[in-house]
Amino acid sequence: MRPEIERAVALLRRGELVAFPTETVYGLGADAANPAAVARIFAAKGRPADHPLIVHLPAAEHLARWARGIPAEAEQLAAAFWPGPLTLILKRQPQVPNAVTGGQDTVGLRVPSHPLALELLAAFDGGVAAPSANRFGRISPTTAAHVREELGERVPLVLDGGACPVGIESTILDLSRGVPVLLRPGAISAADIARVLGSAPETVAPHAEAPRVSGSLDAHYAPRTPLQLVSSDGLLFALRNALVAGERVAVLAPTAQAIGHDLVTWKQSPAEPAGFAHELYASLRELDALGCARLLVQQPPAGENWLAVNDRLRRAAAGSGEDDET
Ligand code: TXA
Ligand code: MG
């Protein structure tokens, strides 16, 4: 075993935290079978203790240790998308700690595809509970440096696997209710799921699940700079207004810089959804660090391909401009 993985496994076995890369975002991991270890996650993140965590497994074969009454849909989706960015909510086995499930009768499970995550999970040979490795309510980390910025010495080890390829959190599908329900959009779309199951999952209204699905709270993925979503016309209008007011502005838009000005920092965003998602959190972090009065983001097109990105942008806008995590 590589020394870095050996050290990570030793820390997990001792009930300590290890941050690690997944294909979506970096996770803040603890031994999911150890309630005291899981409690450390909530303390490090400053996250309310009733918010459930996703348990990361080394392989789909581990499902039955954590879930019961596993429906055929779960097996089909696991075969199609694991390892990969899909979390399944299933009825939990009784021994799954309440600290992991937020006291609910269900548990969120996924097998991530990042090679370093898989190496860690295989070596640990158990479930690792891991939310995104950010302080509660802030932007999810997609590099090891972001994790250090967020959590500093609160986490003894950060495994560095480079920039996360997907860049936004996993799709969450609830299979505990009889009919599949999409709780959080992600890189695996409703259409992808429909291709496997034969019909599209139901979706929930954005606010219906809070705080059970903490990602559905609006104050999530949020920069400190007030973030405004604008159309392409609205962008130029808002930009002119800000400049008239003498404000420094950061812009994230798919076009090349339209207005050159000392007060404007312009960042061009990828024109397709996967590229946009991959860069999204790093771009928000970079622009947020400038300390501008305003962050203007040109809203990507509506439509299924952009659903997950638009979901994160909407939440980032809603939660932005706060001094503290809520
Ligand atoms: O891509 C991801 O899913 C990343 C990486 C690290 O795997 N993890 C992640 O974790 O985004 P977190 O804690 O930031 O978001 C997990 C979401 C939350 O919205 C939580 O409420 C929901 O999963 N969740 C977990 N268990 C659940 C359950 N039993 N029922 C409903 N929602 C659940
Ligand atoms: Mg999160």
Side-chain angles (χ1 to χ4, degrees), residues 154-179:
R154 290 186 177 96
V155 51
L157 177 63
V158 182
L159 296 177
D160 190 344
C164 301
V166 174
I168 57 172
E169 301 80 356
S170 62
T171 304
I172 302 182
L173 186 73
D174 191 345
L175 292 176
S176 73
R177 309 182 185 192
V179 291

Side-chain angles (χ1 to χ4, degrees), residues 65-315:
R65 301 186 197 175
W66 298 87
R68 67 190 157 80
I70 299 168
E73 287 96 331
E75 308 283 0
Q76 290 162 357
L77 292 166
F81 298 119
W82 283 355
L86 176 67
T87 296
L88 299 177
I89 307 294
L90 297 166
K91 290 259 187 319
R92 69 157 164 176
Q93 287 287 5
Q95 74 275 11
V96 181
N98 280 319
V100 170
T101 65
Q104 300 179 61
D105 190 34
T106 55
V107 61
L109 299 163
R110 88 176 186 100
V111 179
S113 66
H114 195 291
L116 206 44
L118 283 174
E119 194 182 347
L120 174 67
L121 291 164
F124 182 63
D125 193 31
V128 172
S132 49
N134 51 282
R135 296 279 296 165
F136 181 62
R138 310 300 340 170
I139 301 167
S140 298
T142 53
T143 68
H146 295 164
V147 178
R148 283 281 171 226
E149 271 171 43
E150 286 289 319
L151 299 172
E153 299 310 308
R154 290 186 177 96
V155 51
L157 177 63
V158 182
L159 296 177
D160 190 344
C164 301
V166 174
I168 57 172
E169 301 80 356
S170 62
T171 304
I172 302 182
L173 186 73
D174 191 345
L175 292 176
S176 73
R177 309 182 185 192
V179 291
V181 181
L182 190 74
L183 300 183
R184 181 172 73 182
I188 293 177
S189 69
D192 294 331
I193 291 166
R195 268 194 290 281
V196 173
L197 298 186
S199 61
E202 287 184 13
T203 51
V204 288
H207 300 277
E209 299 295 318
R212 188 145 75 114
V213 179
S214 76
S216 67
L217 291 176
D218 270 341
H220 243 70
Y221 322 108
R224 293 185 167 85
T225 313
L227 187 159
Q228 211 178 324
L229 284 170
V230 290
S231 65
S232 55
D233 291 344
L235 173 59
L236 295 179
F237 182 74
L239 200 48
R240 269 189 225 105
N241 281 347
L243 291 179
V244 166
E247 289 179 353
R248 290 182 56 214
V249 200
V251 175
L252 184 65
T255 47
Q257 181 153 2
I259 295 183
H261 196 290
D262 286 352
L263 293 173
V264 178
T265 304
W266 190 291
K267 193 170 172 69
Q268 192 168 354
S269 56
E272 38 72 49
F276 194 106
H278 170 67
E279 289 182 15
L280 174 61
Y281 291 149
S283 299
L284 290 182
R285 223 168 245 283
E286 178 190 325
L287 296 174
D288 197 24
L290 300 172
C292 291
R294 205 164 295 286
L295 174 55
L296 300 174
V297 178
Q298 187 175 321
Q299 176 102 51
E304 162 94 4
N305 290 345
W306 287 95
L307 193 66
V309 156
N310 280 323
D311 169 77
R312 302 311 189 277
L313 283 173
R314 185 178 56 73
R315 297 178 203 285

